[in-house]
Amino acid sequence: MAKLQVAIDLLTTEDAIALATKVAPYIDIIELGTPLIKSEGLSVITAMKEAFPDKKVFADFKTADAGALEAEMAFKAGADYITILGAVDDATIAGAVSKAKEYNRGVVVDTIGVADRVKRAQEVSKLGVEFVELHAGLDEQAKPGYSIQVLIDEATSAGVPVSIAGGVSLDSIDRVKKSGAVVAVAGGAIYGAEDPAAAAKALKEALTA
C-alpha cells in the first residue's frame, strides 16, 4: 500500500512542527523541504524526529556532491531518508547508500531537472536506493501546460519503486495510487489547505481505499 508523505516547505521549525502536529495522524513520512533545512539547519531534523519518533523523517537535502558526508550529517541528526540529486555522478549516490547501510536508513534519488526520469530511475535503483522520486519542482509546475499525468505515466512504466511529487492532490491521488508509486508526496495540497488535517485525511483515505 502506498504511503503518504507531506512535504513541508515552511521556513521555521515552529511552523513545521505545528503543521506536522495537525497532519501526523494521516501521514507516514514527514518531509522537511530544502528551504526549511537551509533556513533552520540540521536542528530542524532533530526537532522533528524527537516530536514524531514513530514517523519517518525525510530530509530533502538535494545533495549534489559529498554524498557520504551529507548522508551521515542527515542520519546523525535523526533523518530516516536523505535525497540525492539524480543528475549527479553515480559515485555520489553510492557514497550516500554506503552510509545509509551503516545507519540502517535510506537514500532517495530526486529526479528534479533530469531529462529522462524513467531511464535515470532504472539506473540508480541498481545502486541500492530505497526509492526514486519522480519530481516536478515548484518552478516546473508553475509553467503553462504542466500536468502531473506526465509523472503518473512515468511511474507506471518505470518498473522500479518510485514516489510521485509534483502537484499531488485529491483530483490526482487515485491515478497516483493506480500508477504503482510506493509513496505519494503532497505539499501545497496539504499546507496550502484551509484545514490541513482534513486535507491530509482525505488524501490518506483515497490512498488506502
Side-chain angles (χ1 to χ4, degrees):
M1 189 182 293
K3 292 185 164 80
L4 184 59
Q5 175 171 325
V6 61
I8 302 181
D9 287 322
L10 306 170
L11 296 181
T12 71
T13 301
E14 191 182 8
D15 287 348
I17 287 180
L19 176 65
T21 302
K22 287 176 189 165
V23 304
Y26 317 108
I27 298 293
D28 304 292
I29 304 169
I30 300 170
E31 175 188 339
L32 307 177
T34 317
L36 173 60
I37 293 171
K38 285 182 175 176
S39 173
E40 295 287 70
L42 297 172
S43 65
V44 68
I45 301 171
T46 309
M48 193 62 79
K49 191 64 184 178
E50 283 173 355
F52 302 98
D54 59 325
K55 301 293 176 189
K56 296 286 189 189
V57 172
F58 182 111
D60 192 15
F61 270 43
K62 294 192 177 75
T63 292
D65 193 20
L69 176 64
E70 292 206 357
E72 185 158 52
M73 286 165 63
F75 299 147
K76 273 187 171 169
D80 297 287
Y81 298 115
I82 182 178
T83 53
I84 311 291
L85 288 173
V88 305
D89 194 272
D90 284 358
T92 303
I93 298 167
V97 168
S98 70
K99 281 294 169 192
K101 288 189 174 136
E102 206 177 296
Y103 284 85
N104 196 24
R105 310 287 170 82
V107 170
V108 177
V109 169
D110 184 338
T111 58
I112 199 166
V114 171
D116 189 337
R117 287 183 285 244
V118 172
K119 179 171 177 272
R120 192 61 179 141
Q122 292 165 343
E123 289 168 355
V124 300
S125 288
K126 295 175 184 151
L127 300 174
V129 304
E130 197 84 4
F131 56 90
V132 180
E133 186 170 288
L134 300 176
H135 189 187
L138 295 172
D139 295 338
E140 186 179 336
Q141 290 176 52
K143 283 158 74 173
Y146 171 76
S147 168
I148 191 174
Q149 192 59 44
V150 177
L151 302 177
I152 291 167
D153 292 344
E154 289 172 354
T156 308
S157 63
V160 295
V162 298
S163 66
I164 291 180
V168 169
S169 67
L170 212 46
D171 293 336
S172 60
I173 193 77
D174 195 50
R175 284 176 287 142
V176 169
K177 177 185 170 181
K178 286 179 178 149
S179 75
V182 295
V183 177
V185 184
I190 292 175
Y191 65 73
E194 209 168 304
D195 184 341
K201 183 172 190 265
L203 287 167
K204 182 67 172 176
E205 283 171 354
L207 208 51
T208 54

